[in-house]
Amino acid sequence: MLSRDEFIKTEGNTFLGKTYVEHLLRPVFNDQRDYLFKQMFNIHRAHVVMLAEQGILDKKEATTILQGVETVSHTDPQTLQYDPQFEDLFFMMEHRISEQIGLDLAGKMHIARSRNDMGVAMYRLVLREHILTLLQSSVLLSDALLEQIQEHAETIITAYTHTQPAQPTTLGHYLTAILDVFLRDIQRLWIAYETVNRSPMGAAALSTTSFPINRKRVCELLGFSELVENSYDAIAGADYLIESATAVLSMMLNCGRWIQDFLQLVTREYKIIKVADPYVQISSTMPQKRNPVSIEHSRSLASSSVGEALAAIQMIHNTPFGDIVDTEDDLQPHLYRSYEKANRMIQLMHAVIRTMEVDKERALNQAKTSCITITELADVLARDKKVPFRSAHQIASSIAKKSSKEKLELNEIPLQTVNEEISKRCNVSLKLEEWNNIICPIEFIKKRNIQGGPNPDEVKRMAEARYKLTRANEDRLAEEKNRLQIAEKKLTESVQKIINKK
């Protein structure tokens, strides 16, 4: 066992201690290298362009600085390794720029900004990309769901409550419910995106600067939609992180619920859905098996994404209202991983849903069991025969109990027996056609034509409305990507204008 003195000898007597380097700075450096490199240099470019346009840097200084920035920006970030002489990636890159242009000019690049506003800007830029990527994949999944909704507007399935067979519905009706929740989650992503896509640059450490900078110009060049106006809020506010985390968390929780349903529907016992061959795995010892590994991995990815998002939220909890940039070095990768895993899950389930096959006949036959149309008996008695609803419900209940006790399906119970049960409570009876319609899942569905119900025409109407929402999301995504491309082009042109100006 090491003594205290021996341990100190291995650690060193001054900052940075060996343990601090190995277990904090090196991992943080690797995360910065993998996620922040590109955005760091875009912020350098935008800030220097603004300083030059404001006359804070003269044209010659700005030209030299930007030439150095461009040279170093071509470094392959994957070749970079932590070096203890630099605290983090920022200082390493500043050193490399200084090797190109000298220490004084490299220092001038940092006029009127801080690691605080710069750090938050980098995080926001990276999160912005992750949200847009997930939105892009979400549009694909929306399309796949819509395609299956249209295909299966008339495919009868059994709906469950409390994990028990409840009533007939259609696969299209069920998938529309999934899509509606998913579309609301997409909207939550857009709201998070709007919060994230704001520029903190110009806040500096927290109270701005005495230099005559133009915050809106940097905002424009980096493609942010607006400023985080209050400079204290710009470096202390963490709601953009919480909103990003809760948006992806909500989507993954909601998706996890229907993914669990899919795992049940693909079992041999249910066998309603068949997963396409590219997304199943054959057992190494049991060749008859078709393991739905794509759905299983989707379930675990969704859960893992939730865990990463919750980790970020927990790290923000009770963090003082001030600069949290150093804390964010540890926090941000959790959010990035949450979005990356969410995106993988959405892509997997898009492939599964787009290519799945449905056994319509088997699904219909299952919907003819378990007395799941018995509600219609109570409705017919109350609506058509004017039986008080409570009495009608009691009659339906007695028929259901008889079916269970005698292990008979409704279509196996003679009409005479049904009418005998009815006559115990009221002086009405059913005709054979009425009884046949009551026990028929198809007729049950046709009659549920109220807005939002499973009637095929209503499902198709809903699908058309959701199609328009999905196209609107697609158009909005394309517009936002185009806007960001224009901003990046403006940044490049502004840099080149300064560098090439004689």
Side-chain angles (χ1 to χ4, degrees):
M1 180 183 293
L2 285 176
S3 68
R4 178 178 180 276
D5 290 342
E6 287 171 330
F7 177 74
I8 290 174
K9 186 176 180 180
T10 63
E11 285 287 302
N13 291 299
T14 59
F15 191 73
L16 309 157
K18 180 182 175 184
T19 296
Y20 190 80
V21 167
E22 292 301 319
H23 297 283
L24 181 73
L25 295 184
R26 192 184 302 277
V28 165
F29 177 90
N30 291 339
D31 285 332
Q32 291 173 337
R33 174 198 65 197
D34 295 342
Y35 291 112
L36 305 180
F37 185 88
K38 173 188 172 184
Q39 307 303 347
M40 176 185 295
F41 279 90
N42 277 343
I43 291 170
H44 287 333
R45 294 180 180 104
H47 186 68
V48 173
V49 166
M50 180 275 293
L51 292 178
E53 290 176 350
Q54 293 296 107
I56 298 169
L57 291 175
D58 66 38
K59 291 171 183 161
K60 183 177 179 181
E61 289 173 327
T63 299
T64 304
I65 291 171
L66 288 172
Q67 286 172 334
V69 167
E70 292 307 306
T71 298
V72 179
S73 72
H74 289 101
T75 304
D76 180 357
Q78 294 308 308
T79 65
L80 300 173
Q81 299 296 325
Y82 177 77
D83 187 333
Q85 69 175 305
F86 307 112
E87 182 179 338
D88 60 12
L89 181 68
F90 172 82
F91 288 111
M92 178 184 283
M93 292 301 99
E94 186 177 77
H95 174 75
R96 292 199 177 190
I97 293 170
S98 72
E99 289 179 328
Q100 298 289 324
I101 65 176
L103 282 172
D104 288 345
L105 279 182
K108 282 192 172 185
M109 184 175 66
H110 206 50
I111 288 173
R113 75 177 185 189
S114 162
R115 288 297 306 284
N116 289 353
D117 60 348
M118 183 180 175
V120 174
M122 287 190 293
Y123 301 141
R124 286 174 178 268
L125 289 170
V126 176
L127 265 180
R128 180 174 76 183
E129 289 186 359
H130 280 292
I131 296 174
L132 288 177
T133 298
L134 185 55
L135 282 165
Q136 183 80 58
S137 297
S138 296
V139 169
L140 286 177
L141 181 54
S142 299
D143 277 337
L145 286 167
L146 280 165
E147 186 175 50
Q148 294 292 356
I149 289 166
Q150 293 279 11
E151 173 71 21
H152 297 290
E154 299 181 26
T155 300
I156 308 294
I157 64 168
T158 303
Y160 292 78
T161 61
H162 300 279
T163 72
Q164 301 300 304
Q167 288 185 329
T169 187
T170 67
L171 182 57
H173 187 240
Y174 168 75
L175 293 176
T176 302
I178 290 174
L179 177 59
D180 281 355
V181 176
F182 193 62
L183 288 171
R184 291 196 294 272
D185 279 322
I186 289 174
Q187 183 60 30
R188 282 182 270 271
L189 283 176
W190 277 119
I191 292 170
Y193 180 82
E194 291 170 0
T195 302
V196 167
N197 196 32
R198 298 175 181 177
S199 175
M201 290 302 293
L206 65 84
S207 61
T208 71
T209 175
S210 58
F211 286 93
I213 62 171
N214 184 343
R215 295 187 67 196
K216 288 185 178 179
R217 177 60 169 157
V218 178
C219 175
E220 174 193 10
L221 290 172
L222 292 175
F224 287 117
S225 57
E226 57 185 280
L227 292 172
V228 183
E229 185 177 45
N230 183 283
S231 62
Y232 209 132
D233 177 23
I235 61 94
D239 57 311
Y240 82 98
L241 300 168
I242 298 169
E243 211 163 314
S244 300
T246 54
V248 69
L249 186 153
S250 173
M251 177 175 277
M252 291 301 99
L253 283 174
N254 287 323
C255 287
R257 296 180 65 202
W258 57 260
I259 288 172
Q260 183 66 22
D261 284 0
F262 270 58
L263 280 171
Q264 186 175 26
L265 292 172
V266 301
T267 61
R268 191 160 185 87
E269 290 73 17
Y270 281 83
K271 211 175 180 181
I272 301 300
I273 291 174
K274 181 181 179 182
V275 180
D277 288 347
Y279 314 112
V280 295
Q281 185 180 59
I282 304 303
S283 168
S284 60
T285 59
M286 297 167 283
Q288 84 283 4
K289 293 186 69 186
R290 300 182 80 257
N291 299 328
V293 290
S294 50
I295 305 178
E296 291 173 318
H297 284 295
S298 293
R299 178 177 59 177
S300 63
L301 281 169
S303 297
S304 184
S305 175
V306 167
E308 298 281 9
L310 284 172
I313 291 170
Q314 289 288 355
M315 291 174 73
I316 298 167
H317 178 59
N318 285 347
T319 301
F321 192 79
D323 162 30
I324 63 167
V325 169
D326 286 343
T327 304
E328 286 199 68
D329 283 336
D330 300 318
L331 181 156
Q332 286 285 336
H334 287 290
L335 267 182
Y336 305 154
R337 289 192 293 268
S338 181
Y339 273 85
E340 287 163 357
K341 291 173 181 178
N343 189 62
R344 289 164 58 195
M345 187 282 285
I346 295 296
Q347 288 284 352
L348 275 172
M349 289 311 299
H350 164 257
V352 168
I353 291 172
R354 185 76 76 174
T355 59
M356 71 182 188
E357 297 177 15
V358 177
D359 191 332
K360 298 180 181 181
E361 183 177 356
R362 185 179 179 87
L364 176 59
N365 287 334
Q366 286 186 8
K368 293 177 179 179
T369 65
S370 306
C371 295
I372 64 172
T373 63
I374 198 66
T375 302
E376 185 61 15
L377 173 59
D379 288 353
V380 167
L381 291 173
R383 183 184 63 243
D384 301 337
K385 308 294 183 178
K386 308 307 178 185
V387 175
F389 182 78
R390 187 52 57 198
S391 295
H393 187 274
Q394 289 170 350
I395 292 168
S397 177
S398 69
I399 298 293
K401 288 177 181 177
K402 189 173 187 67
S403 171
S404 177
K405 182 179 179 180
E406 298 182 10
K407 296 182 172 54
L408 296 173
E409 298 300 341
L410 288 181
N411 63 350
E412 296 173 327
I413 299 177
L415 175 60
Q416 181 180 349
T417 302
V418 174
N419 280 328
E420 287 173 357
E421 286 295 319
I422 294 173
S423 67
K424 292 177 184 178
R425 291 177 174 82
C426 55
N427 189 28
V428 299
S429 63
L430 295 176
K431 296 177 182 178
L432 182 59
E433 182 182 0
E434 291 174 320
W435 176 242
N436 286 339
N437 285 340
I438 286 168
I439 65 177
C440 177
I442 297 173
E443 290 299 320
F444 186 98
I445 294 298
K446 284 181 180 177
K447 292 177 180 176
R448 267 65 185 175
N449 58 1
I450 302 300
Q451 182 176 354
N455 177 280
D457 291 337
E458 180 61 14
V459 169
K460 290 174 183 177
R461 183 200 64 78
M462 288 190 285
E464 182 61 32
R466 276 63 172 171
Y467 177 84
K468 292 176 182 177
L469 288 174
T470 299
R471 296 287 70 79
N473 278 321
E474 187 176 45
D475 291 345
R476 182 178 180 183
L477 188 61
E479 288 171 6
E480 185 59 21
K481 285 189 167 186
N482 183 61
R483 191 187 68 80
L484 293 178
Q485 288 174 355
I486 292 172
E488 190 162 3
K489 183 180 178 183
K490 284 182 179 178
L491 176 58
T492 301
E493 290 173 348
S494 298
V495 169
Q496 292 305 314
K497 182 178 179 181
I498 292 173
I499 290 177
N500 296 329
K501 196 166 185 178
K502 301 298 182 184

